[in-house]
Amino acid sequence: STAIPIIHLVDAANQELIDQGKGGGGGGREGYFDVRSEFEDTAYWSAVVRTGSDGLETVTVTLPDNLTTWRMDARAVTADTLVAQQTVDIVATKPLLIRPVTPRFFVVADEATLSAVVQNNTDAAIEATVTLDARGVVMTSSSITQQVTVPAGGRVSVEWDVTVSYEADWVDLVFMVEGGGLSDASRPPLGDPNHEQMLPVYRYEVPETVGTAGQLTEAGTRVEGIVLPPTYDIQAGSLDIQIDPSLASSTLASLDWLKHFPYECTEQVVSRFLPNALTLRAFREFNLTSRDMENNLQEQMQIGIQRLYAQQHADGGWGWFVASQSDSLVTAYVVQGLLAAQQADYPVEQRVLDDAIRYLQNQLDVLAPMSASYVLDRQVYILYVLAQAGVPDVSLTVQFYDARQNVQHYSRALLAQALYLIEPDDPRLDNIKSDLVNSAIISATGVHWEEEYADRFHWNTDTRSTAIILDTFARLWPDSELAPNIVRWLMTARNGSHWETTQETAWALIGLTDWMIASGELSGDYAWSVEFNGQPAASGQVTASNVTQATHIAYTVDQFLDDAVNRLVIERGEGNGQLYYTAHLTAYLPVEEVPALNRGIVISRRYLDAEGNPVTGGAVGDTLTVEVSVITARDLYYLVVEDPLPAGAEAVDTNLLTESQLSERPTLELDDPLRWGWGWWWFSEVDLRDEKAVLYADFLPSGTYVFSYQIRLGIPGTYRVIPSTAREFYFPEVYGRGEGLLFEIEP
């Protein structure tokens, strides 16, 4: 009774101010309307509110823009442990309001019916004008502005048919209504915080990326030839060039990639802040730190370490995901990260670290030197981490030195670091160095190592091995002639600003950071320039003040010569320092022209109606079952399955109390009754996101599996569904891709 008249008065006052300030014209969504765009799930939170002696305290809360019922929940405790709880509901509303009904994302060329519900909370009918201000879509069958009559205490729905523009990366929608002296406007409460409330637009295409990289250690010129593929999309694709005046600028770009990596397994949580902490330590030595860098580190530390605290198991260990069993590899990596945080002067709860160290010590096996090589590699890594923690097992470390011929190259490098931490002058180190030098592969692109077998059990690849060995050379033998060539190979192996996996990227950053400290290359002084097809692209002068700043250059494919070799010329002048460059060409192929792909995994998808019949669409309100079949002829480690959704549908999250208890939980089943049994798979995690469902499994034996979950159809339209994919997280070359399709949702 009080709220409605107040809102009437405020709206009238606002309207008077707007009328006075229009200056004879203008308007627009931000000027004429106060657009509601701040939507939050939690309006206010305070862990501690201390009352006065009378037991009273006042808390002031500014509510977000949600028009909803808020529940205020207060819980109190006295010094003598008397407790109480009280809840109060607060309704936030307006006399005339508009509620958008949109997808959470789009795919290029999607055809959707957007709508908005206009609600009249007054006791009189309102003649209202409803407008959609849309960017990134094309109106196909409806007027932007529509006139409706909204009955007293009632609501009406207004619709617009739109097609998503090909050029759009984001769709920005503002729904507005005015009438009877009242108004409201709202953006859908979705999207990326960096793009306000815009809806992301994905492309119904398969990107193909090729690249090159190089290093100029002295004055000279390098020429790279670039040729477009025979068929490509002229409206998409680009050549992205990055010039790095030192490893520092490359390091910062890779840190940003790790920061925004989309998954939340324990390994990724550590990989976000471990190299960040080491980079900060290196920059501090050269007085190159900034407030932004310090703040970024603190943010990553706070988020990551608090999450690790919450996910530590009772035995002191961690699993790949919180539901996974404790694993010695994951736990050792967490301890390595916590130790790096301590070295960066970030406080780490000692109890957590002590419990984890005890867990690792209990995983050591005195009989391990007689075991299989994969057991030896795990034990060596644990010994390396314990040595870093200041609690080395000297006897077992020496035993593993005697068995070093049975471990992989990266384990020998870690063993060398463990021995060095125990005794820097240990003569055994020379023998390990000789082993690594003799096994190095020298080529025109630099120096790297190749293991005898792919160690998927330990997340290891040849790139990761090379990065670990670089770190060992930087710490133990920085004067070796191999070290600069290892750096050159690693920089060439990059895929844009990062390497293929989080483990490759994290260890590459660790090795490169220690090499920056050892080589002192953060004092460059030279000029450089870049030309593309004879035209200047960029140039600069490297000094100590900008040695951490990369230069990015981009050309779209329509700027290329399509019937000739495109020439990229990089030139470096005289002076101290190193120049690194990368160039990556990304072309997009329409999904309709790309068949399913099998690189070790076969994946397919189908939608089933309530009777179990395969369908390619349905009606608004229908609940369909999605079945994603995964076939593998060999065991898979750390599998990730991604199944993109139709934009007009949402995955049913049965963990939410608002969902029907009859809904089926996501499942992963072995499609072979003869192999049925407990323990043959480990189902780690399922993420139901706005745009896709993601399944994770630590280990999946060879066989045929069906991953199933449910979706609910919500918004009419014709939607392009991006193909499903499956890959090993740390070996992305083991990969499978299904087929895309058109999905119809009827009103």
Side-chain angles (χ1 to χ4, degrees), residues 247-516:
L247 293 174
S249 56
S250 302
T251 299
L252 293 176
S254 300
L255 288 174
D256 189 63
W257 179 77
L258 285 172
K259 175 182 176 181
H260 294 97
F261 200 75
Y263 305 115
E264 297 292 345
C265 63
T266 305
E267 180 270 331
Q268 170 55 26
V269 171
V270 178
S271 292
R272 281 182 174 173
F273 70 80
L274 168 57
N276 208 328
L278 298 177
T279 301
L280 180 64
R281 175 173 58 85
F283 282 18
R284 283 173 177 169
E285 292 193 22
F286 289 88
N287 297 318
L288 295 175
T289 57
S290 65
R291 183 175 298 276
D292 288 344
M293 186 183 300
E294 297 274 358
N295 292 341
N296 180 62
L297 173 65
Q298 292 294 324
E299 178 186 357
Q300 296 306 312
M301 293 290 188
Q302 290 171 1
I303 296 172
I305 292 179
Q306 291 301 322
R307 181 167 291 162
L308 293 176
Y309 288 168
Q311 295 180 353
Q312 187 177 27
H313 295 168
D315 59 8
W318 285 266
W320 193 42
F321 278 91
V322 66
S324 305
Q325 296 176 346
S326 292
D327 180 88
S328 56
L329 173 66
V330 175
T331 303
Y333 192 55
V334 172
V335 172
Q336 183 182 353
L338 295 178
L339 294 173
Q342 281 188 333
Q343 294 171 3
D345 300 326
Y346 189 89
V348 174
E349 193 170 327
Q350 194 60 43
R351 176 192 58 80
V352 173
L353 197 53
D354 290 343
D355 289 349
I357 289 173
R358 277 193 293 271
Y359 171 84
L360 291 178
Q361 290 172 327
N362 291 334
Q363 303 303 307
L364 292 175
D365 185 356
V366 295
L367 300 178
M370 309 296 294
S371 304
S373 58
Y374 73 90
V375 176
L376 300 179
D377 292 324
R378 176 72 61 95
Q379 294 279 299
V380 168
Y381 181 50
I382 295 174
L383 290 171
Y384 159 76
V385 172
L386 291 176
Q388 281 196 325
V391 288
D393 189 315
V394 179
S395 175
L396 200 54
T397 303
V398 172
Q399 292 182 55
F400 273 99
Y401 167 80
D402 295 331
R404 69 186 185 282
Q405 299 303 326
N406 297 324
V407 301
Q408 301 216 68
H409 301 310
Y410 79 90
S411 292
R412 296 184 199 181
L414 294 176
L415 182 62
Q417 291 202 43
L419 289 170
Y420 180 82
L421 291 169
I422 296 170
E423 174 52 63
D425 296 324
D426 192 324
R428 300 179 184 88
L429 295 174
D430 290 335
N431 292 332
I432 297 180
K433 178 183 179 183
S434 178
D435 292 343
L436 293 174
V437 171
N438 291 337
S439 58
I441 298 175
I442 302 175
S443 65
T445 57
V447 174
H448 71 287
W449 281 260
E450 295 180 2
E451 304 289 3
E452 291 185 6
Y453 61 91
D455 192 359
R456 293 175 172 82
F457 188 55
H458 292 115
W459 311 332
N460 197 60
T461 63
D462 291 338
T463 300
R464 180 176 180 268
S465 288
T466 302
I468 291 173
I469 294 171
L470 170 63
D471 185 56
T472 303
F473 271 83
R475 288 175 176 266
L476 276 59
W477 312 299
D479 296 330
S480 169
E481 295 180 357
L482 284 185
N485 290 303
I486 305 174
V487 172
R488 184 156 62 94
W489 189 91
L490 271 179
M491 297 301 289
T492 303
R494 283 187 302 175
N495 181 13
S497 63
H498 56 86
W499 289 261
E500 275 200 296
T501 71
T502 52
Q503 273 292 293
E504 288 183 356
T505 301
W507 276 104
L509 293 178
I510 292 170
L512 293 173
T513 298
D514 284 330
W515 174 250
M516 280 191 292

Side-chain angles (χ1 to χ4, degrees), residues 591-650:
V591 169
E592 297 94 327
E593 300 177 10
V594 179
L597 181 63
N598 172 13
R599 291 179 179 168
I601 304 175
V602 177
I603 184 169
S604 61
R605 169 184 55 204
R606 64 175 185 165
Y607 298 95
L608 306 177
D609 62 16
E611 286 73 39
N613 302 313
V615 295
T616 58
V620 170
D622 287 353
T623 297
L624 305 182
T625 298
V626 186
E627 288 190 350
V628 181
S629 298
V630 177
I631 304 173
T632 173
R634 63 170 186 79
D635 298 347
L636 299 175
Y637 294 91
Y638 304 105
L639 175 72
V640 178
V641 178
E642 293 187 342
D643 183 43
L645 305 175
E650 293 187 359

Side-chain angles (χ1 to χ4, degrees), residues 85-389:
Q85 180 179 0
Q86 181 64 283
T87 60
V88 176
D89 289 347
I90 304 171
V91 178
T93 188
K94 298 184 70 175
L96 179 66
L97 61 90
I98 189 167
R99 299 183 186 276
V101 180
T102 71
R104 297 177 182 271
F105 67 96
F106 286 107
V107 174
V108 164
D110 275 351
E111 301 170 13
T113 299
L114 306 181
S115 63
V117 176
V118 179
Q119 184 168 329
N120 177 6
N121 291 326
T122 72
D123 55 4
I126 294 178
E127 298 296 326
T129 300
V130 186
T131 304
L132 172 59
D133 187 347
R135 301 173 187 177
V137 299
V138 177
M139 299 285 183
T140 56
S141 64
S142 303
S143 172
I144 295 176
T145 299
Q146 301 184 45
Q147 305 294 325
V148 295
T149 300
V150 190
R155 65 187 68 181
V156 297
S157 179
V158 184
E159 296 182 344
W160 296 265
D161 293 330
V162 301
T163 299
V164 180
S165 302
Y166 195 94
E167 299 79 9
D169 293 320
W170 300 87
V171 168
D172 188 11
L173 304 173
V174 177
F175 296 81
M176 298 168 282
V177 61
E178 60 176 329
L182 304 172
S183 66
D184 186 30
S186 177
R187 272 195 179 98
L190 306 164
D192 188 306
N194 295 325
H195 294 80
E196 298 179 335
Q197 297 298 118
M198 301 184 190
L199 305 179
V201 175
Y202 302 99
R203 298 198 170 274
Y204 189 64
E205 298 163 325
V206 175
E208 296 288 346
T209 301
V210 295
T212 186
Q215 175 183 0
L216 294 173
T217 59
E218 56 187 21
T221 300
R222 187 73 53 83
V223 179
E224 300 283 359
I226 304 167
V227 180
L228 290 172
T231 60
Y232 63 93
D233 189 338
I234 190 64
Q235 300 185 66
S238 63
L239 173 66
D240 296 294
I241 306 162
Q242 179 169 319
I243 303 297
D244 297 311
S246 71
L247 293 174
S249 56
S250 302
T251 299
L252 293 176
S254 300
L255 288 174
D256 189 63
W257 179 77
L258 285 172
K259 175 182 176 181
H260 294 97
F261 200 75
Y263 305 115
E264 297 292 345
C265 63
T266 305
E267 180 270 331
Q268 170 55 26
V269 171
V270 178
S271 292
R272 281 182 174 173
F273 70 80
L274 168 57
N276 208 328
L278 298 177
T279 301
L280 180 64
R281 175 173 58 85
F283 282 18
R284 283 173 177 169
E285 292 193 22
F286 289 88
N287 297 318
L288 295 175
T289 57
S290 65
R291 183 175 298 276
D292 288 344
M293 186 183 300
E294 297 274 358
N295 292 341
N296 180 62
L297 173 65
Q298 292 294 324
E299 178 186 357
Q300 296 306 312
M301 293 290 188
Q302 290 171 1
I303 296 172
I305 292 179
Q306 291 301 322
R307 181 167 291 162
L308 293 176
Y309 288 168
Q311 295 180 353
Q312 187 177 27
H313 295 168
D315 59 8
W318 285 266
W320 193 42
F321 278 91
V322 66
S324 305
Q325 296 176 346
S326 292
D327 180 88
S328 56
L329 173 66
V330 175
T331 303
Y333 192 55
V334 172
V335 172
Q336 183 182 353
L338 295 178
L339 294 173
Q342 281 188 333
Q343 294 171 3
D345 300 326
Y346 189 89
V348 174
E349 193 170 327
Q350 194 60 43
R351 176 192 58 80
V352 173
L353 197 53
D354 290 343
D355 289 349
I357 289 173
R358 277 193 293 271
Y359 171 84
L360 291 178
Q361 290 172 327
N362 291 334
Q363 303 303 307
L364 292 175
D365 185 356
V366 295
L367 300 178
M370 309 296 294
S371 304
S373 58
Y374 73 90
V375 176
L376 300 179
D377 292 324
R378 176 72 61 95
Q379 294 279 299
V380 168
Y381 181 50
I382 295 174
L383 290 171
Y384 159 76
V385 172
L386 291 176
Q388 281 196 325

